[in-house]
Amino acid sequence: MLEPCPIRTKADYRAALDEIERLFDAELNTPEFDRLEVLITLVETYEQGHYPIEALDPIEAILYYLESRELFLDELEPIKQAMSC
Protein backbone atom coordinates (compact mmCIF):
# COMPACT_ATOMS: atom_id res chain seq x y z
CA MET A 1 0.00 0.00 0.00
CA LEU A 2 1.53 3.29 -1.09
CA GLU A 3 1.35 6.36 1.09
CA PRO A 4 -1.19 8.95 -0.05
CA CYS A 5 0.29 11.78 -2.06
CA PRO A 6 -1.13 14.90 -3.74
CA ILE A 7 -3.51 14.25 -6.61
CA ARG A 8 -2.16 16.08 -9.64
CA THR A 9 -3.53 14.20 -12.64
CA LYS A 10 -6.69 12.41 -13.72
CA ALA A 11 -4.81 9.13 -13.34
CA ASP A 12 -3.94 10.02 -9.73
CA TYR A 13 -7.57 10.99 -9.18
CA ARG A 14 -8.89 7.71 -10.62
CA ALA A 15 -6.40 5.70 -8.55
CA ALA A 16 -7.47 7.52 -5.38
CA LEU A 17 -11.15 6.85 -6.15
CA ASP A 18 -10.38 3.17 -6.70
CA GLU A 19 -8.54 3.01 -3.38
CA ILE A 20 -11.42 4.78 -1.62
CA GLU A 21 -13.80 2.21 -3.04
CA ARG A 22 -11.56 -0.59 -1.80
CA LEU A 23 -11.36 0.94 1.69
CA PHE A 24 -14.98 2.05 1.88
CA ASP A 25 -15.96 -0.49 4.57
CA ALA A 26 -12.87 0.04 6.72
CA GLU A 27 -13.48 -0.21 10.44
CA LEU A 28 -13.29 2.94 12.54
CA ASN A 29 -9.98 3.57 14.33
CA THR A 30 -7.88 1.37 12.04
CA PRO A 31 -4.99 2.32 9.75
CA GLU A 32 -7.25 1.54 6.78
CA PHE A 33 -9.89 3.98 8.04
CA ASP A 34 -7.23 6.65 8.57
CA ARG A 35 -6.01 6.12 5.01
CA LEU A 36 -9.59 6.38 3.76
CA GLU A 37 -10.04 9.73 5.52
CA VAL A 38 -6.82 11.09 4.04
CA LEU A 39 -7.75 9.94 0.53
CA ILE A 40 -11.21 11.47 0.81
CA THR A 41 -9.67 14.80 1.83
CA LEU A 42 -7.25 14.68 -1.10
CA VAL A 43 -10.04 13.83 -3.56
CA GLU A 44 -12.26 16.63 -2.21
CA THR A 45 -9.43 19.12 -2.67
CA TYR A 46 -8.80 17.92 -6.22
CA GLU A 47 -12.50 18.07 -7.10
CA GLN A 48 -12.90 21.59 -5.70
CA GLY A 49 -10.09 22.77 -7.95
CA HIS A 50 -11.03 20.83 -11.09
CA TYR A 51 -14.81 20.35 -10.87
CA PRO A 52 -16.18 23.34 -8.97
CA ILE A 53 -19.90 23.32 -8.28
CA GLU A 54 -21.54 26.66 -8.83
CA ALA A 55 -24.07 27.88 -6.30
CA LEU A 56 -27.59 27.30 -7.53
CA ASP A 57 -30.03 30.10 -8.07
CA PRO A 58 -32.78 29.36 -5.49
CA ILE A 59 -35.60 29.81 -8.01
CA GLU A 60 -33.89 27.56 -10.56
CA ALA A 61 -33.35 24.93 -7.84
CA ILE A 62 -37.06 24.95 -6.95
CA LEU A 63 -38.08 24.75 -10.59
CA TYR A 64 -35.68 21.86 -11.19
CA TYR A 65 -37.02 20.04 -8.12
CA LEU A 66 -40.58 20.42 -9.35
CA GLU A 67 -39.75 19.37 -12.91
CA SER A 68 -37.76 16.32 -11.81
CA ARG A 69 -40.78 15.11 -9.84
CA GLU A 70 -43.30 16.04 -12.52
CA LEU A 71 -44.89 18.62 -10.26
CA PHE A 72 -46.22 22.04 -11.16
CA LEU A 73 -45.75 25.45 -9.55
CA ASP A 74 -49.43 25.72 -8.57
CA GLU A 75 -48.97 22.61 -6.42
CA LEU A 76 -46.95 24.79 -4.02
CA GLU A 77 -49.97 27.02 -3.29
CA PRO A 78 -51.24 24.91 -0.32
CA ILE A 79 -47.78 25.12 1.23
CA LYS A 80 -47.70 28.89 0.72
CA GLN A 81 -51.13 29.25 2.33
CA ALA A 82 -50.16 27.05 5.29
CA MET A 83 -47.04 29.11 5.91
CA SER A 84 -48.85 32.45 5.84
CA CYS A 85 -51.07 31.60 8.84
Side-chain angles (χ1 to χ4, degrees), residues 24-56:
F24 196 74
D25 293 322
E27 290 188 35
L28 191 62
N29 299 321
T30 63
E32 292 80 15
F33 186 83
D34 293 345
R35 180 175 173 75
L36 176 62
E37 284 188 308
V38 170
L39 286 168
I40 288 171
T41 301
L42 290 170
V43 164
E44 286 175 344
T45 301
Y46 180 85
E47 288 176 343
Q48 288 170 358
H50 291 81
Y51 308 108
I53 298 174
E54 296 179 28
L56 292 176

CSV table of all heavy atoms in Angstrom, one decimal, residues 24-56:
chain,number,residue,atom,x,y,z
A,24,PHE,N,-13.7,1.5,1.5
A,24,PHE,CA,-15.0,2.1,1.9
A,24,PHE,C,-15.6,1.4,3.2
A,24,PHE,O,-16.2,2.1,4.0
A,24,PHE,CB,-16.0,2.0,0.8
A,24,PHE,CG,-17.2,2.9,1.0
A,24,PHE,CD1,-17.0,4.3,0.8
A,24,PHE,CD2,-18.4,2.4,1.3
A,24,PHE,CE1,-18.1,5.1,1.0
A,24,PHE,CE2,-19.5,3.2,1.6
A,24,PHE,CZ,-19.3,4.6,1.4
A,25,ASP,N,-15.4,0.2,3.4
A,25,ASP,CA,-16.0,-0.5,4.6
A,25,ASP,C,-14.9,-0.7,5.7
A,25,ASP,O,-15.1,-1.5,6.6
A,25,ASP,CB,-16.5,-1.8,4.2
A,25,ASP,CG,-17.7,-1.7,3.3
A,25,ASP,OD1,-18.5,-0.8,3.5
A,25,ASP,OD2,-17.9,-2.5,2.4
A,26,ALA,N,-13.9,0.1,5.7
A,26,ALA,CA,-12.9,0.0,6.7
A,26,ALA,C,-13.5,0.3,8.1
A,26,ALA,O,-14.4,1.2,8.2
A,26,ALA,CB,-11.7,1.0,6.4
A,27,GLU,N,-13.0,-0.4,9.1
A,27,GLU,CA,-13.5,-0.2,10.4
A,27,GLU,C,-12.9,1.0,11.1
A,27,GLU,O,-11.7,1.4,10.8
A,27,GLU,CB,-13.1,-1.4,11.3
A,27,GLU,CG,-13.9,-2.7,10.9
A,27,GLU,CD,-13.7,-3.8,11.9
A,27,GLU,OE1,-13.5,-3.5,13.1
A,27,GLU,OE2,-13.7,-4.9,11.4
A,28,LEU,N,-13.7,1.7,11.8
A,28,LEU,CA,-13.3,2.9,12.5
A,28,LEU,C,-12.1,2.7,13.4
A,28,LEU,O,-11.9,1.6,14.0
A,28,LEU,CB,-14.5,3.4,13.4
A,28,LEU,CG,-14.4,4.8,14.0
A,28,LEU,CD1,-14.3,5.8,13.0
A,28,LEU,CD2,-15.6,5.0,14.9
A,29,ASN,N,-11.2,3.6,13.5
A,29,ASN,CA,-10.0,3.6,14.3
A,29,ASN,C,-9.0,2.5,13.9
A,29,ASN,O,-8.4,1.9,14.7
A,29,ASN,CB,-10.3,3.4,15.8
A,29,ASN,CG,-11.1,4.6,16.3
A,29,ASN,OD1,-10.9,5.7,16.0
A,29,ASN,ND2,-12.1,4.3,17.1
A,30,THR,N,-8.9,2.3,12.6
A,30,THR,CA,-7.9,1.4,12.0
A,30,THR,C,-7.0,2.2,11.1
A,30,THR,O,-7.4,3.2,10.6
A,30,THR,CB,-8.6,0.2,11.3
A,30,THR,OG1,-9.3,0.7,10.1
A,30,THR,CG2,-9.5,-0.6,12.2
A,31,PRO,N,-5.8,1.7,10.7
A,31,PRO,CA,-5.0,2.3,9.8
A,31,PRO,C,-5.7,2.5,8.4
A,31,PRO,O,-5.5,3.5,7.7
A,31,PRO,CB,-3.8,1.4,9.6
A,31,PRO,CG,-3.7,0.7,10.9
A,31,PRO,CD,-5.1,0.5,11.4
A,32,GLU,N,-6.5,1.5,8.0
A,32,GLU,CA,-7.2,1.5,6.8
A,32,GLU,C,-8.2,2.7,6.8
A,32,GLU,O,-8.4,3.4,5.8
A,32,GLU,CB,-8.0,0.2,6.5
A,32,GLU,CG,-7.1,-0.9,6.2
A,32,GLU,CD,-6.4,-1.6,7.4
A,32,GLU,OE1,-6.9,-1.3,8.6
A,32,GLU,OE2,-5.5,-2.3,7.3
A,33,PHE,N,-8.9,2.9,7.9
A,33,PHE,CA,-9.9,4.0,8.0
A,33,PHE,C,-9.2,5.3,8.0
A,33,PHE,O,-9.6,6.3,7.3
A,33,PHE,CB,-10.7,3.9,9.3
A,33,PHE,CG,-11.8,4.9,9.4
A,33,PHE,CD1,-13.0,4.6,8.8
A,33,PHE,CD2,-11.6,6.0,10.1
A,33,PHE,CE1,-14.0,5.6,8.9
A,33,PHE,CE2,-12.6,7.0,10.2
A,33,PHE,CZ,-13.8,6.8,9.6
A,34,ASP,N,-8.0,5.4,8.6
A,34,ASP,CA,-7.2,6.7,8.6
A,34,ASP,C,-6.8,7.0,7.1
A,34,ASP,O,-6.9,8.1,6.7
A,34,ASP,CB,-6.0,6.5,9.5
A,34,ASP,CG,-6.3,6.5,10.9
A,34,ASP,OD1,-7.5,6.8,11.3
A,34,ASP,OD2,-5.4,6.1,11.7
A,35,ARG,N,-6.4,5.9,6.4
A,35,ARG,CA,-6.0,6.1,5.0
A,35,ARG,C,-7.2,6.6,4.2
A,35,ARG,O,-7.1,7.5,3.3
A,35,ARG,CB,-5.5,4.8,4.5
A,35,ARG,CG,-5.0,4.9,3.0
A,35,ARG,CD,-4.4,3.6,2.6
A,35,ARG,NE,-4.1,3.5,1.2
A,35,ARG,CZ,-3.1,4.2,0.6
A,35,ARG,NH1,-2.3,5.0,1.3
A,35,ARG,NH2,-3.0,4.1,-0.7
A,36,LEU,N,-8.4,6.0,4.4
A,36,LEU,CA,-9.6,6.4,3.8
A,36,LEU,C,-9.9,7.9,4.0
A,36,LEU,O,-10.2,8.6,3.0
A,36,LEU,CB,-10.8,5.5,4.3
A,36,LEU,CG,-12.1,5.8,3.7
A,36,LEU,CD1,-12.2,5.7,2.2
A,36,LEU,CD2,-13.2,5.0,4.4
A,37,GLU,N,-9.8,8.3,5.2
A,37,GLU,CA,-10.0,9.7,5.5
A,37,GLU,C,-9.1,10.6,4.8
A,37,GLU,O,-9.5,11.7,4.2
A,37,GLU,CB,-9.9,10.0,7.0
A,37,GLU,CG,-11.1,9.5,7.8
A,37,GLU,CD,-11.1,10.0,9.2
A,37,GLU,OE1,-10.0,9.7,9.9
A,37,GLU,OE2,-12.1,10.5,9.7
A,38,VAL,N,-7.8,10.3,4.7
A,38,VAL,CA,-6.8,11.1,4.0
A,38,VAL,C,-7.1,11.1,2.5
A,38,VAL,O,-7.1,12.2,1.9
A,38,VAL,CB,-5.4,10.6,4.3
A,38,VAL,CG1,-4.4,11.2,3.4
A,38,VAL,CG2,-5.0,10.7,5.8
A,39,LEU,N,-7.4,10.0,2.0
A,39,LEU,CA,-7.8,9.9,0.5
A,39,LEU,C,-9.0,10.8,0.2
A,39,LEU,O,-9.0,11.5,-0.8
A,39,LEU,CB,-7.9,8.5,0.1
A,39,LEU,CG,-6.6,7.7,0.0
A,39,LEU,CD1,-7.0,6.2,-0.2
A,39,LEU,CD2,-5.8,8.2,-1.2
A,40,ILE,N,-10.0,10.7,1.0
A,40,ILE,CA,-11.2,11.5,0.8
A,40,ILE,C,-10.9,13.0,0.8
A,40,ILE,O,-11.4,13.7,0.0
A,40,ILE,CB,-12.3,11.1,1.9
A,40,ILE,CG1,-12.8,9.7,1.6
A,40,ILE,CG2,-13.4,12.1,1.9
A,40,ILE,CD1,-13.8,9.2,2.6
A,41,THR,N,-10.1,13.4,1.8
A,41,THR,CA,-9.7,14.8,1.8
A,41,THR,C,-8.9,15.2,0.6
A,41,THR,O,-9.2,16.3,0.0
A,41,THR,CB,-8.8,15.1,3.1
A,41,THR,OG1,-9.6,14.7,4.2
A,41,THR,CG2,-8.4,16.5,3.2
A,42,LEU,N,-8.0,14.4,0.1
A,42,LEU,CA,-7.2,14.7,-1.1
A,42,LEU,C,-8.2,14.8,-2.3
A,42,LEU,O,-8.0,15.7,-3.2
A,42,LEU,CB,-6.2,13.6,-1.3
A,42,LEU,CG,-5.0,13.6,-0.3
A,42,LEU,CD1,-4.1,12.4,-0.5
A,42,LEU,CD2,-4.2,14.9,-0.5
A,43,VAL,N,-9.1,13.8,-2.4
A,43,VAL,CA,-10.0,13.8,-3.6
A,43,VAL,C,-10.9,15.1,-3.5
A,43,VAL,O,-11.2,15.7,-4.5
A,43,VAL,CB,-10.9,12.5,-3.6
A,43,VAL,CG1,-12.1,12.7,-4.5
A,43,VAL,CG2,-10.0,11.4,-4.0
A,44,GLU,N,-11.4,15.4,-2.3
A,44,GLU,CA,-12.3,16.6,-2.2
A,44,GLU,C,-11.5,17.9,-2.7
A,44,GLU,O,-12.0,18.7,-3.4
A,44,GLU,CB,-12.7,16.8,-0.8
A,44,GLU,CG,-13.8,15.8,-0.4
A,44,GLU,CD,-14.2,15.9,1.1
A,44,GLU,OE1,-13.4,16.5,1.9
A,44,GLU,OE2,-15.3,15.4,1.5
A,45,THR,N,-10.3,18.0,-2.3
A,45,THR,CA,-9.4,19.1,-2.7
A,45,THR,C,-9.2,19.1,-4.2
A,45,THR,O,-9.4,20.2,-4.8
A,45,THR,CB,-8.1,19.1,-2.0
A,45,THR,OG1,-8.3,19.1,-0.5
A,45,THR,CG2,-7.2,20.2,-2.4
A,46,TYR,N,-9.0,18.0,-4.8
A,46,TYR,CA,-8.8,17.9,-6.2
A,46,TYR,C,-10.1,18.3,-6.9
A,46,TYR,O,-10.1,19.1,-7.9
A,46,TYR,CB,-8.4,16.5,-6.6
A,46,TYR,CG,-8.2,16.3,-8.1
A,46,TYR,CD1,-7.0,16.7,-8.7
A,46,TYR,CD2,-9.2,15.8,-8.9
A,46,TYR,CE1,-6.8,16.5,-10.1
A,46,TYR,CE2,-9.0,15.7,-10.3
A,46,TYR,CZ,-7.8,16.0,-10.9
A,46,TYR,OH,-7.6,15.9,-12.2
A,47,GLU,N,-11.2,17.8,-6.5
A,47,GLU,CA,-12.5,18.1,-7.1
A,47,GLU,C,-12.9,19.5,-7.0
A,47,GLU,O,-13.4,20.1,-7.9
A,47,GLU,CB,-13.6,17.2,-6.5
A,47,GLU,CG,-13.5,15.8,-6.9
A,47,GLU,CD,-14.5,14.8,-6.2
A,47,GLU,OE1,-15.1,15.2,-5.2
A,47,GLU,OE2,-14.7,13.7,-6.7
A,48,GLN,N,-12.6,20.2,-5.9
A,48,GLN,CA,-12.9,21.6,-5.7
A,48,GLN,C,-12.1,22.4,-6.7
A,48,GLN,O,-12.6,23.4,-7.2
A,48,GLN,CB,-12.6,22.1,-4.3
A,48,GLN,CG,-13.6,21.5,-3.3
A,48,GLN,CD,-13.1,21.8,-1.8
A,48,GLN,OE1,-12.1,22.3,-1.6
A,48,GLN,NE2,-13.9,21.4,-0.9
A,49,GLY,N,-10.9,22.0,-7.0
A,49,GLY,CA,-10.1,22.8,-8.0
A,49,GLY,C,-10.4,22.5,-9.4
A,49,GLY,O,-10.3,23.3,-10.3
A,50,HIS,N,-10.8,21.2,-9.7
A,50,HIS,CA,-11.0,20.8,-11.1
A,50,HIS,C,-12.5,20.7,-11.5
A,50,HIS,O,-12.8,20.7,-12.7
A,50,HIS,CB,-10.3,19.5,-11.3
A,50,HIS,CG,-8.8,19.6,-11.3
A,50,HIS,ND1,-8.1,19.6,-10.1
A,50,HIS,CD2,-7.9,19.8,-12.3
A,50,HIS,CE1,-6.8,19.8,-10.4
A,50,HIS,NE2,-6.7,19.9,-11.7
A,51,TYR,N,-13.4,20.5,-10.6
A,51,TYR,CA,-14.8,20.3,-10.9
A,51,TYR,C,-15.7,21.2,-9.9
A,51,TYR,O,-16.5,20.7,-9.2
A,51,TYR,CB,-15.2,18.9,-10.8
A,51,TYR,CG,-14.3,17.9,-11.5
A,51,TYR,CD1,-13.5,17.1,-10.9
A,51,TYR,CD2,-14.4,17.9,-12.9
A,51,TYR,CE1,-12.7,16.2,-11.6
A,51,TYR,CE2,-13.6,17.0,-13.7
A,51,TYR,CZ,-12.7,16.2,-13.0
A,51,TYR,OH,-11.9,15.3,-13.7
A,52,PRO,N,-15.4,22.5,-9.9
A,52,PRO,CA,-16.2,23.3,-9.0
A,52,PRO,C,-17.7,23.3,-9.2
A,52,PRO,O,-18.1,23.2,-10.4
A,52,PRO,CB,-15.6,24.7,-9.2
A,52,PRO,CG,-15.1,24.7,-10.6
A,52,PRO,CD,-14.6,23.3,-10.8
A,53,ILE,N,-18.4,23.3,-8.2
A,53,ILE,CA,-19.9,23.3,-8.3
A,53,ILE,C,-20.4,24.7,-8.0
A,53,ILE,O,-20.1,25.3,-6.9
A,53,ILE,CB,-20.5,22.3,-7.3
A,53,ILE,CG1,-20.1,20.9,-7.6
A,53,ILE,CG2,-22.0,22.4,-7.3
A,53,ILE,CD1,-20.5,19.9,-6.6
A,54,GLU,N,-21.0,25.3,-9.0
A,54,GLU,CA,-21.5,26.7,-8.8
A,54,GLU,C,-22.8,26.7,-7.9
A,54,GLU,O,-23.5,25.7,-7.9
A,54,GLU,CB,-21.9,27.2,-10.2
A,54,GLU,CG,-20.8,27.4,-11.1
A,54,GLU,CD,-21.2,27.9,-12.5
A,54,GLU,OE1,-22.3,28.6,-12.6
A,54,GLU,OE2,-20.6,27.6,-13.5
A,55,ALA,N,-22.9,27.7,-7.2
A,55,ALA,CA,-24.1,27.9,-6.3
A,55,ALA,C,-25.3,28.0,-7.2
A,55,ALA,O,-25.3,28.7,-8.2
A,55,ALA,CB,-23.9,29.1,-5.4
A,56,LEU,N,-26.3,27.3,-6.8
A,56,LEU,CA,-27.6,27.3,-7.5
A,56,LEU,C,-28.4,28.6,-7.2
A,56,LEU,O,-28.4,29.0,-6.1
A,56,LEU,CB,-28.5,26.1,-7.2
A,56,LEU,CG,-28.0,24.7,-7.6
A,56,LEU,CD1,-28.9,23.7,-7.0
A,56,LEU,CD2,-27.9,24.6,-9.1
